[in-house]
Amino acid sequence: MNKPSRFKSFVFGLIGQAYAYESADEVREVIADNSFNTLADRARTHWNGANTLTDGLAFQPGLLDLHDELHDTWHYLVALKARARDLGYGALTEQLMHAADSTRDVLQAVATAAENTVPSPAIPTSK
C-alpha cells in the first residue's frame, strides 16, 4: 500500500488537504489498521471506565457526551451526503444517507438510555 509518510501527512494538513488513497483495498487496509491496531487499548479504556460506574446516574455524563459526539457525526454525514449529491456521486450519496440514518438511530437510542439514568419516582402502594 502506498501509505503517506508522517511528514507528507503533516504537509498536506498545513495546506488544508489530506492524502487520498487510490483503491478500495487501500481504504479498507487503513480502516482496519486504524481500528484494530488500537482495539485492545480502546476496549480496555472503556471497560475500565465502565467498571467504575456505581449507579444509574453515573452513566449520565458519558451518555450525554456520547450523544453530543454522535450529533456532531450526524451533522457531518448529512453535510457530506448533500455535497456528494451536488457533485453527482449517486452511490456515495446513498451510502452516506444510510450512515446518517444509522447514526440518527443510534443517537435516539443513546438519548433514551440517558433519559433512563434518571430514577423513576416511587409509586405509592395502594391499601
Side-chain angles (χ1 to χ4, degrees), residues 82-90:
R83 185 62 180 151
R85 183 190 60 236
D86 293 347
L87 294 172
Y89 295 112

Side-chain angles (χ1 to χ4, degrees), residues 107-122:
L107 186 64
Q108 291 170 344
V110 169
T112 301
E115 291 169 9
N116 280 294
T117 64
V118 177
S120 300

Side-chain angles (χ1 to χ4, degrees), residues 9 16-17 21 28 30 34 44 62 76 81 92 98 101 116:
S9 295
Q17 296 182 355
Y21 298 92
R28 280 190 289 275
V30 169
N34 290 344
R44 186 173 25 263
Y76 183 52
K81 177 189 75 170
L92 179 57
H98 292 308
D101 289 349
N116 280 294

Side-chain angles (χ1 to χ4, degrees), residues 22-44:
E22 296 179 9
S23 77
D25 287 338
E26 288 177 319
V27 171
R28 280 190 289 275
E29 187 175 335
V30 169
I31 289 170
D33 285 350
N34 290 344
S35 296
F36 298 115
N37 287 347
T38 60
L39 180 64
D41 288 338
R42 290 180 191 197
R44 186 173 25 263

Side-chain angles (χ1 to χ4, degrees), residues 41-105:
D41 288 338
R42 290 180 191 197
R44 186 173 25 263
T45 297
H46 293 302
W47 277 96
N48 289 344
N51 285 332
T52 66
L53 302 176
T54 57
D55 61 33
L57 287 174
F59 286 79
Q60 200 175 89
L63 289 170
L64 294 175
D65 287 345
L66 179 59
H67 187 273
D68 188 50
E69 291 172 16
L70 288 166
H71 200 218
D72 187 55
T73 300
W74 179 81
H75 281 288
Y76 183 52
L77 289 166
V78 169
L80 290 174
K81 177 189 75 170
R83 185 62 180 151
R85 183 190 60 236
D86 293 347
L87 294 172
Y89 295 112
L92 179 57
T93 300
E94 186 173 327
Q95 290 304 311
L96 289 167
M97 178 186 70
H98 292 308
D101 289 349
S102 295
T103 302
R104 183 200 59 228
D105 294 343

